[in-house]
Amino acid sequence: MRIKENMKTKTEKDVEKTKDLKVLLDEKRVFKPSEEFTEQTNVKKWMDKHGIKSYDELLEKAKDLEWFWGTVANEVVEWFEPYNKVLDWNPPWVKWYIGAKYNIVHDALDKHVKTWRKNKVAYIFEGEPGDVRKLTYWDLYVEVNKLANALKSFGVCKGDRVGIYLPMIPELPIAMLACAKIGAIHSVVFSGFSATAFRERLNDCEAKVAITCDGFYRRGKVIPLKSMADDALREAPTVKHMIVYKRMTAGSELVPWNEERDHWWHEITKDQPRTCETEILDANDILYTSGTTGKPKGVIHAHGGYAVGTAHTLRWVFDLKPEDIWWCAADIGWVTGHSYIVYGPLILGVTSIIYEGAPDYPNPERWWSIIERYGVTVFYTSPTSIRLAMRFGEEWVKKHDLSSLRLLGSVGEPINPEAWIWYYTHIGGKRCQIMDTWWQTESGTFCISPLPITPLKPGSATKPLPGFTADVYDEDGNPIQNRGGNLVQPTPWPGMLRGLYKAPERFKEIYWSKYPNIYLAGDVARKDDDNYFWIQGRADGVLNTAGHRIGNSEVESALVSHEKVAEAAVIGEPHEVKGESILAFVVLKKGVEPNDELRSELREHVGKEIGKIARPDKIKFVTDVPKTRSGKIMRRVIRAKVLGLPVGDIATLSNPEAVEEIDKAI
Ligand code: PRX
């Protein structure tokens, strides 16, 4: 594949020199895929079949949602019984493939074991210590069936919830699929989250069973997950059984054990039958709930639409073919892993990599060595990881032959052109197009993203995919061009969320109340003259650190829950590697002395309440934080001060002198 750079207004050197994220607004270069590459892509072949001549024509044609999503659905999934209607749209409620009988596990596993794919490797797993396991579709199928039977023996039925707290090991997809197979709903909690976060999720969904492991490896250390799960279960009364996978190579006998509640995975699955009937469900039955932060917000996804959405977007955006080795280097605990390590790739019958550990353990060449050793062809990661790799330097990359790669991807946060160019040059060898995919836990699948046939502009996620729409609205709901506004999605798509678990009012309020019947994504974006989208970050109230979405108020509540803290204000501060870092202004209770020891104690406290990723990077002690008369903390004012921007009107503040306090502290 050859990529032409057909327009250059800046030299690569200029871009590589600048460290300023603002350069994004000036980015004008366009990278076009070569024709010879375009001709070979899945999307181009589809267009030829349907007599569609250009990318623009494809976007136009796909505006007929029923035609488009009806056609692609029948290409990527097998229904038990077909649907009688593609779409039922009664905003904010949506149903896709009405009347279809379905189960996503049929497409992810059952259908493959009847074909040559039975013996194809589904997952290549590499543990952090270097242990390797390869599981074929057949292996996965048998393991899933055994666990599904074990779950049934604990009384888990259709519609019951199971909380999963597992690291990046093959048992995580196995556990998810076992739940889905019997129609149970899984709620996976990222293994980097705290015991408190796991407990809150278990209680929110009233889980019957929890699944975890003894411990796992991260940066050469053992993370004692079972002990953390024990802590969570102390106050999770609905959980009657905990299944524990033995991951540790030594020391498992030392993990604390509750004879009545705890069961070793290998013991309860040992004598289970190797087959298990796949529950016949409605296409709109719930598959899973997922949230992005410690506080529960159960985003609901359903079997049918989600299956079509993940498989279809993956086959088009990353152009996956039977011979590919696909590596989505996200964690399965987040939506990216759910959609593009578990369901999408398995439905397509792809071979994927699962790597347990840290990218830079034991040194920064680990990832590049994995790409070389397994011949990874398509690689998908986050801008934070790319910026981290840039910081380590290309010497680590150069030690490895990355010529197997043909396509790259980015997700989770805006990618600055400097990182884009570095990724393109040093990882992709200037051969590989970069698919910058914009989407969310709520969307379930890519929404705004290039296809491999799309001309690229570094830093832009380009346009909504065929079958999706997006726009940028001002405060009054008027579409705007070339200025920042609220990102919205006016039409439904199959993978979209179906609600928030047990919280329909909250669902309406968060996503559907600002503009009637229009989905509000919560991001600020800009649309340029070519209708390319430039995502600028979250709207007020949520920060994005290292691709993790964390509510400012959540970190504030965690800080305030410490006995020595009276008040806290948390903002995201631009950070060269993580996109944003977490900066907290803390007001201590009367008589408490600020010092470094307390600073570390507060960081650890937040780590314990939410998870390590939410620990503030910096804590500044102040005597007051700016507030409105109704007591709302004015993060906007604090952020403006920190960034050296005009603070705007502060007349509405109840304590304007607090702004000076912030000034002194920074
Ligand atoms: O702000 C956007 C950012 O990540 C948010 C969604 O986070 P989460 O639900 O955790 O899912 C992350 C993985 C899909 C969005 O609201 N985001 C995601 N992808 C991009 C992005 N920002 C800019 N460019 C992207 N490609």
Side-chain angles (χ1 to χ4, degrees):
M1 178 184 47
R2 203 163 33 85
I3 308 285
K4 275 186 237 141
E5 205 179 315
N6 69 351
M7 221 173 101
K8 263 197 171 181
T9 55
K10 266 178 200 265
T11 65
E12 223 165 74
K13 231 168 155 201
D14 283 338
V15 177
E16 281 179 2
K17 259 192 299 182
T18 174
K19 293 262 182 257
D20 190 349
L21 296 190
K22 277 198 229 97
V23 75
L24 201 112
L25 301 176
D26 304 325
E27 184 56 50
K28 295 278 189 312
R29 284 172 300 178
V30 178
F31 289 71
K32 268 192 162 179
S34 73
E35 274 181 22
E36 98 209 58
F37 175 66
T38 303
E39 283 303 315
Q40 301 301 319
T41 56
N42 290 338
V43 59
K44 182 64 176 46
K45 288 182 187 153
W46 193 92
M47 286 161 65
D48 290 346
K49 186 169 147 202
H50 292 272
I52 296 172
K53 299 270 175 299
S54 66
Y55 174 48
D56 285 340
E57 191 188 337
L58 173 63
L59 294 175
E60 201 48 44
K61 271 257 165 71
K63 285 186 180 158
D64 180 347
L65 298 181
E66 304 222 6
W67 169 75
F68 181 75
W69 288 113
T71 307
V72 301
N74 296 336
E75 293 164 355
V76 292
V77 304
E78 285 179 3
W79 311 107
F80 295 136
E81 273 177 41
Y83 55 84
N84 45 47
K85 194 166 173 230
V86 174
L87 171 64
D88 195 348
W89 176 224
N90 181 17
W93 309 111
V94 71
K95 281 191 174 164
W96 284 91
Y97 309 113
I98 297 101
K101 294 287 167 226
Y102 187 62
N103 188 315
I104 198 165
V105 180
H106 171 77
D107 273 305
L109 294 177
D110 303 354
K111 79 173 177 200
H112 298 309
V113 299
K114 294 188 207 122
T115 70
W116 64 272
R117 280 209 182 82
K118 176 179 173 191
N119 301 320
K120 181 176 177 175
V121 173
Y123 289 124
I124 302 173
F125 165 72
E126 182 162 307
E128 197 186 71
D131 48 327
V132 175
R133 271 199 287 159
K134 292 186 181 176
L135 283 96
T136 62
Y137 275 88
W138 173 254
D139 296 334
L140 208 57
Y141 170 81
V142 171
E143 294 306 321
V144 166
N145 288 341
K146 287 181 158 198
L147 186 67
N149 287 325
L151 285 171
K152 278 189 186 170
S153 75
F154 291 146
V156 178
C157 304
K158 181 186 162 190
D160 285 343
R161 278 80 54 210
V162 175
I164 303 178
Y165 194 37
L166 282 169
M168 283 290 285
I169 55 176
E171 283 62 33
L172 177 45
I174 290 170
M176 292 163 71
L177 292 157
C179 293
K181 183 152 214 187
I182 59 173
I185 299 166
H186 58 71
S187 174
V188 181
V189 178
F190 171 53
S191 60
F193 263 157
S194 64
T196 313
F198 184 39
R199 179 190 306 136
E200 282 172 345
R201 297 278 190 89
L202 290 168
N203 288 333
D204 185 59
C205 72
E206 297 171 329
K208 242 183 181 172
V209 171
I211 306 181
T212 190
C213 70
D214 47 1
F216 65 99
Y217 300 94
R218 187 83 191 172
R219 281 184 210 289
K221 287 201 204 110
V222 170
I223 309 291
L225 203 62
K226 165 71 164 65
S227 306
M228 291 161 70
D230 282 342
D231 198 6
L233 261 60
R234 255 184 269 290
E235 286 161 50
T238 58
V239 179
K240 302 292 178 228
H241 299 279
M242 178 146 75
I243 301 174
V244 186
Y245 179 74
K246 185 173 174 298
R247 159 67 186 131
M248 281 156 54
T249 46
S252 291
E253 64 287 354
L254 300 176
V255 301
W257 207 253
N258 175 331
E259 285 298 337
E260 258 171 52
R261 184 199 63 192
D262 300 343
H263 313 268
W264 282 113
W265 175 310
H266 57 273
E267 285 175 5
I268 55 160
T269 53
K270 193 170 63 198
D271 298 323
Q272 292 293 347
R274 294 154 70 86
T275 54
C276 170
E277 207 158 303
T278 300
E279 187 82 23
I280 297 180
L281 304 169
D282 186 282
N284 290 289
D285 276 344
I286 303 178
L287 167 62
Y288 74 88
T289 70
S290 163
T292 54
T293 53
K295 287 269 173 289
K297 184 165 89 178
V299 170
I300 299 173
H301 288 287
H303 276 249
Y306 180 77
V308 173
T310 50
H312 166 73
T313 52
L314 187 60
R315 76 175 176 156
W316 272 19
V317 173
F318 285 108
D319 193 44
L320 292 184
K321 313 249 170 59
E323 62 274 22
D324 275 311
I325 303 282
W326 159 244
W327 187 13
C328 164
D331 194 291
I332 298 173
W334 305 106
V335 73
T336 310
H338 280 47
S339 300
Y340 297 111
I341 301 177
V342 184
Y343 291 109
L346 292 178
I347 295 172
L348 296 181
V350 164
T351 300
S352 303
I353 304 282
I354 296 181
Y355 167 58
E356 178 184 39
D360 54 348
Y361 187 83
N363 60 42
E365 70 186 289
R366 185 70 183 256
W367 272 15
W368 321 126
S369 135
I370 291 177
I371 294 180
E372 179 178 28
R373 278 183 289 119
Y374 301 111
V376 172
T377 53
V378 188
F379 177 60
Y380 184 39
T381 187
S382 67
T384 291
S385 308
I386 298 159
R387 290 189 291 258
L388 191 68
M390 278 170 80
R391 209 173 61 174
F392 288 131
E394 50 265 21
E395 309 81 81
W396 295 103
V397 182
K398 283 195 190 126
K399 288 173 173 219
H400 296 279
D401 174 6
L402 306 185
S403 60
S404 56
L405 289 171
R406 65 181 189 92
L407 214 49
L408 298 173
S410 171
V411 61
E413 40 178 328
I415 181 163
N416 47 313
E418 187 198 4
W420 196 103
I421 296 292
W422 188 90
Y423 193 27
Y424 175 73
T425 307
H426 297 290
I427 308 303
K430 299 192 179 175
R431 296 182 313 280
C432 308
Q433 293 279 95
I434 297 176
M435 303 294 105
D436 177 0
T437 61
W438 177 90
W439 58 297
Q440 311 178 293
T441 302
E442 292 84 346
S443 40
T445 68
F446 313 140
C447 294
I448 303 175
S449 164
L451 290 165
I453 58 168
T454 312
L456 305 176
K457 300 185 188 186
S460 167
T462 73
K463 298 187 179 197
L465 287 166
F468 294 81
T469 58
D471 213 333
V472 178
Y473 283 3
D474 67 10
E475 286 304 299
D476 301 321
N478 305 307
I480 49 174
Q481 200 93 14
N482 282 320
R483 25 200 190 104
N486 290 316
L487 181 64
V488 294
Q489 290 174 266
T491 55
W493 62 100
M496 73 189 287
L497 76 169
R498 305 308 180 85
L500 292 180
Y501 197 69
K502 288 195 308 190
E505 291 310 317
R506 204 168 155 216
F507 171 63
K508 288 187 201 158
E509 147 99 35
I510 297 177
Y511 306 104
W512 305 94
S513 64
K514 190 164 179 81
Y515 308 116
N517 298 343
I518 303 275
Y519 175 79
L520 177 76
D523 276 7
V524 176
R526 184 173 63 91
K527 218 171 47 170
D528 72 12
D529 288 333
D530 299 323
N531 287 327
Y532 272 47
F533 285 75
W534 301 78
I535 313 295
Q536 293 169 351
R538 296 289 308 179
D540 198 29
V542 179
L543 54 86
N544 189 332
T545 181
H548 295 302
R549 188 171 141 188
I550 295 170
N552 302 47
S553 61
E554 229 182 285
V555 184
E556 288 163 359
S557 318
L559 284 164
V560 173
S561 72
H562 189 280
E563 55 182 16
K564 293 182 180 159
V565 174
E567 269 181 318
V570 166
I571 63 158
E573 188 181 21
H575 185 276
E576 208 180 301
V577 175
K578 297 201 272 188
E580 275 186 309
S581 61
I582 304 178
L583 170 58
F585 292 89
V586 170
V587 180
L588 295 172
K589 285 196 178 146
K590 275 220 163 61
V592 179
E593 276 303 309
N595 56 44
D596 281 346
E597 209 177 304
L598 180 57
R599 207 172 257 127
S600 320
E601 192 178 315
L602 293 180
R603 287 189 77 235
E604 290 319 311
H605 179 72
V606 175
K608 198 160 168 289
E609 286 294 303
I610 307 176
K612 282 190 177 158
I613 51 166
R615 288 184 307 192
D617 297 86
K618 285 188 222 156
I619 295 181
K620 310 255 184 204
F621 293 115
V622 287
T623 51
D624 205 357
V625 287
K627 272 173 287 188
T628 59
R629 293 205 177 98
S630 59
K632 190 168 171 258
I633 293 172
M634 289 299 279
R635 297 190 200 110
R636 180 179 54 74
V637 171
I638 301 174
R639 196 171 145 84
K641 265 283 159 215
V642 170
L643 299 184
L645 301 170
V647 288
D649 184 11
I650 54 169
T652 53
L653 293 185
S654 69
N655 56 348
E657 60 291 350
V659 181
E660 292 311 308
E661 265 287 299
I662 300 291
D663 223 5
K664 273 192 257 154
I666 53 184

